[in-house]
Amino acid sequence: MNGLMMQQPLLISSLLVHAERHHGEQEIVSRRVEGDIHRQSFRELALRSRRMANALAALGVRDGDRVGTLAWNGHRHMELYYAVSGSGAVLHTFNPRLHPDQVVYIADHAGDSVLFFDLTFLPLVEAIAPRTKHIKHFVAMTDRAHMPTASKLDKLLCYEELLEAQNDVYDWPSFDENQASSLCYTSGTTGNPKGVLYSHRSTLLHTFGIALPDALNCSARDTILPVVPMFHVNAWGLPYAACMVGAKMVFPGPGLDGKSLHELFESEKVTLSAGVPTVWQGLLAYVEGNGLKFSTMRRSIIGGSACPPAMIRKFAEVYDVQVLHAWGMTEMSPVGTAAVFKTKHLNATQEERYAVMSTQGRAVYGVDMKIVGEDGQELPWGTQTSGDVLVRGPWIVQRYFRDEGGDPIVPDAHGVGWFPTGDVARIDADGYMQITDRSKDVIKSGGDWIGSIDLENIAMAHPAVAMAACIAAKHPKWDERPLLVVVKKPGVEVTREALIAFFDGKIAKWWTPDDVVFVDAIPLGATGKMLKNRLREQFKDHTLPTA
Ligand code: AMP
């Protein structure tokens, strides 16, 4: 027997409709590329999103078409979040830090028909435009006064002009909640980035999940400044959560240095922020160096890489800011766990509480989680044994876009499918997860991935290199940086400097390995695969050059 409740699909547009009706006066503040601080209300967000939906239709964007963005965190980007997905098209956020070759690959793979971009990225867009196959329209996210006077792009469109040409009457269409809403590429262990295609349903359920008090705890009393970019897994879902709960949003645009961020925290009375540890390091250094405090910021969500326990302590003891350590990944929309207390911790000692806060946390409802051993058998919780972390749930990826990389799902003995995260962790008796290693061969530098296989392929093309492995080495600022481990061909010489110089022009500069070590042999597994876990262990205390 079916229940007798209304059938209403979970659609992203419903968040905007709710925000306009119930939180219309709430503010969105953006530091823009043009240099000003812009303010608008949720009412204006809704109105401008409707105009943009009309503009997209006028550009020929239809249901399911992919619309790309190369943009910082800002109100126009948020308008596109709602206009593109709300109208039935798919919002595809690009990471502008990628090498132009990868941007071209991703644009072609996604099949984007329109690309919106912030002025900062004009040179990048001009460089890739002639090489992409499907993009018909390029739109600069600015007004007429700031449009570039000389651009290599044919018929460059202006965002504000597109809006002005439209009226704000637009009925958000209703469709199946499983329809695709947005697309974000992740660099996997193979060379090519893989697309994670979110649906309206997965996005809405994730938004409910993260807004909960024991997850990211967002409310109408919060002023949220996401430092985490809107091009990286939808800024952890915060632009959606803000509309769901009616929180004020503050967008930092391109100003991610300590001074610009601290100014906004103070002037806009930010209460909650979110970012990777590297960003907080920069911010803390600035605040410390200038004898400043946070007057209103009380909670900072830190994830993307392990948050150092010393940072949690400093935030709490010096700045009265509570760190919320969280874990997730692009394939998980992204939030999976959050390090929040249970009743039993309320009377715990401060040291015990810090220990809980330093774990990656416990599962948010909607994410089921387990650890397995090498034989695929589930491992018990509450022991010191680590295993591969597998997850399942309504906001976890099932397959990658265009089936890139094949079927990632691992079935258990009952045929239930689990997604292998590539993280290795132990889980304590209370369900708190502690990541101990990573089985995937990627390097995470300041929150952005570096593909180790790309680096190895380049190194292997050097005439003196017999074998090369690239692993993550600990770095005080960037958390991880690439370390190249090389076996030389017999009788051939090459220096560390020459090998590093060999990467020039072949990859984005920040992907270049920080250091090279020469070894006699690289450990290999039974199938001839390099045992990078072994190498990571061997070089875990390697000190990278700081210059
Ligand atoms: P991404 O898909 O770029 O969001 O990266 C996801 C990966 O980042 C995870 O699989 C982890 O390897 C790593 N990661 C994310 N959050 C944390 C965390 N709190 N601690 C340690 N590693 C993390």
Side-chain angles (χ1 to χ4, degrees):
M1 184 170 34
N2 284 339
L4 295 174
M5 309 309 282
M6 287 187 188
Q7 287 287 326
Q8 195 174 312
L10 300 171
L11 299 180
I12 286 174
S13 55
S14 69
L15 294 169
L16 188 64
V17 170
H18 173 83
E20 181 181 21
R21 188 192 280 273
H22 300 282
H23 303 281
E25 74 300 340
Q26 187 58 285
E27 262 192 315
I28 299 168
V29 181
S30 313
R31 187 194 290 278
R32 297 199 291 196
V33 176
E34 293 94 324
D36 61 345
I37 300 276
H38 171 269
R39 293 175 180 279
Q40 72 180 28
S41 63
F42 275 19
R43 202 167 287 118
E44 285 161 302
L45 168 77
L47 184 146
R48 285 168 58 88
S49 301
R50 291 198 298 271
R51 280 179 188 255
M52 183 46 74
N54 281 325
L56 290 168
L59 288 176
V61 174
R62 300 284 172 262
D63 228 39
D65 285 356
R66 273 77 63 209
V67 173
T69 61
L70 260 170
W72 302 111
N73 292 5
H75 70 98
R76 293 188 183 110
H77 208 172
M78 185 149 169
E79 288 154 15
L80 290 169
Y81 265 50
Y82 286 97
V84 174
S85 305
S87 62
V90 178
L91 179 88
H92 169 210
T93 50
F94 279 88
N95 185 339
R97 298 185 185 127
L98 293 176
H99 189 275
D101 289 350
Q102 279 183 317
V103 175
V104 171
Y105 170 86
I106 291 174
D108 287 351
H109 192 273
D112 297 308
S113 58
V114 184
L115 180 62
F116 286 83
F117 65 91
D118 268 337
L119 288 175
T120 322
F121 306 117
L122 178 65
L124 173 60
V125 175
E126 285 178 337
I128 61 147
R131 301 171 56 199
T132 56
K133 292 198 192 107
H134 311 287
I135 305 178
K136 294 200 260 316
H137 303 288
F138 293 91
V139 186
M141 294 164 69
T142 190
D143 55 19
R144 174 47 51 196
H146 292 90
M147 282 295 279
T149 44
S151 164
K152 291 185 205 143
L153 295 167
D154 257 7
K155 291 185 291 183
L156 175 60
L157 299 171
C158 166
Y159 187 96
E160 293 298 333
E161 283 187 346
L162 285 184
L163 284 194
E164 278 156 27
Q166 300 297 330
N167 69 40
D168 57 33
V169 181
Y170 182 87
D171 285 330
W172 297 108
S174 183
F175 39 75
D176 184 345
E177 63 187 18
N178 290 300
Q179 186 162 324
S181 60
S182 58
L183 177 63
C184 184
Y185 279 75
T186 178
S187 60
T189 48
T190 58
N192 285 335
K194 298 200 281 280
V196 181
L197 189 62
Y198 309 105
S199 68
H200 285 259
R201 174 185 159 81
S202 71
T203 304
L204 264 280
L205 292 176
H206 178 259
T207 310
F208 277 119
I210 64 167
L212 288 171
D214 271 7
L216 308 190
N217 188 8
C218 306
S219 83
R221 275 91 53 213
D222 276 314
T223 296
I224 306 177
L225 187 153
V227 185
V228 53
M230 289 168 81
F231 57 74
H232 185 189
V233 221
N234 303 322
W236 298 349
L238 291 169
Y240 302 119
C243 279
M244 180 176 274
V245 303
K248 173 175 168 182
M249 273 308 243
V250 182
F251 288 125
L256 301 179
D257 58 290
K259 181 171 187 295
S260 310
L261 285 176
H262 186 261
E263 267 171 25
L264 267 189
F265 279 130
E266 292 299 297
S267 62
E268 298 305 324
K269 301 191 170 31
V270 170
T271 59
L272 173 63
S273 189
V276 295
T278 308
V279 161
W280 299 119
Q281 254 174 19
L283 180 68
L284 281 179
Y286 172 77
V287 170
E288 233 171 347
N290 293 280
L292 302 168
K293 293 272 176 201
F294 297 102
S295 334
T296 53
M297 219 256 287
R298 286 297 159 262
R299 286 181 300 133
S300 81
I301 306 160
I302 303 189
S305 300
C307 180
M311 185 178 279
I312 296 176
R313 213 176 261 272
K314 173 165 289 172
F315 261 124
E317 293 174 4
V318 183
Y319 298 106
D320 192 18
V321 173
Q322 181 161 16
V323 167
L324 175 64
H325 192 195
W327 166 86
M329 60 195 305
T330 310
E331 288 89 337
M332 300 174 68
S333 299
V335 179
T337 62
V340 279
F341 298 126
K342 293 185 170 181
T343 310
K344 67 191 290 184
H345 301 118
L346 297 179
N347 295 320
T349 64
Q350 193 52 45
E351 288 311 308
E352 286 166 340
R353 289 162 68 94
Y354 281 142
V356 173
M357 292 165 82
S358 299
T359 70
Q360 273 73 17
R362 55 188 167 86
V364 170
Y365 168 77
V367 175
D368 195 5
M369 191 168 84
K370 66 174 179 179
I371 46 173
V372 300
E374 272 172 19
D375 56 0
Q377 293 301 310
E378 184 167 359
L379 295 170
W381 295 6
T383 76
Q384 286 303 307
T385 313
S386 293
D388 289 314
V389 181
L390 273 66
V391 291
R392 60 191 303 266
W395 61 76
I396 313 287
V397 72
Q398 174 78 41
R399 300 178 85 88
Y400 291 100
F401 190 44
R402 300 195 197 284
D403 265 342
E404 204 60 58
D407 183 359
I409 300 300
V410 181
D412 65 17
H414 309 286
V416 174
W418 293 78
F419 176 77
T421 63
D423 288 315
V424 177
R426 57 173 179 265
I427 302 180
D428 74 14
D430 294 317
Y432 290 84
M433 178 181 76
Q434 181 84 59
I435 294 195
T436 52
D437 196 4
R438 209 158 58 209
S439 60
K440 52 192 167 191
D441 299 335
V442 277
I443 299 151
K444 203 157 201 196
S445 166
D448 275 308
W449 289 115
I450 296 177
S452 60
I453 293 179
D454 289 343
L455 299 185
E456 285 156 12
N457 289 343
I458 293 171
M460 292 292 285
H462 191 283
V465 174
M467 194 184 275
C470 206
I471 56 167
K474 280 272 149 227
H475 189 279
K477 174 162 183 205
W478 301 109
D479 190 33
E480 291 179 4
R481 289 290 305 157
L483 168 68
L484 191 67
V485 184
V486 168
V487 181
K488 281 188 274 198
K489 284 186 183 155
V492 195
E493 268 318 310
V494 63
T495 61
R496 166 189 178 278
E497 289 69 26
L499 265 184
I500 289 178
F502 190 64
F503 286 85
D504 272 1
K506 300 189 175 86
I507 38 159
K509 191 133 194 68
W510 65 273
W511 276 40
T512 310
D514 279 28
D515 205 1
V516 180
V517 286
F518 296 101
V519 293
D520 292 337
I522 288 174
L524 299 178
T527 56
K529 211 171 169 292
M530 295 189 286
L531 295 177
K532 293 211 187 158
N533 285 2
R534 212 64 93 65
L535 279 182
R536 277 197 287 269
E537 179 59 27
Q538 189 178 339
F539 292 103
K540 71 176 189 311
D541 298 323
H542 183 82
T543 311
L544 292 170
T546 43

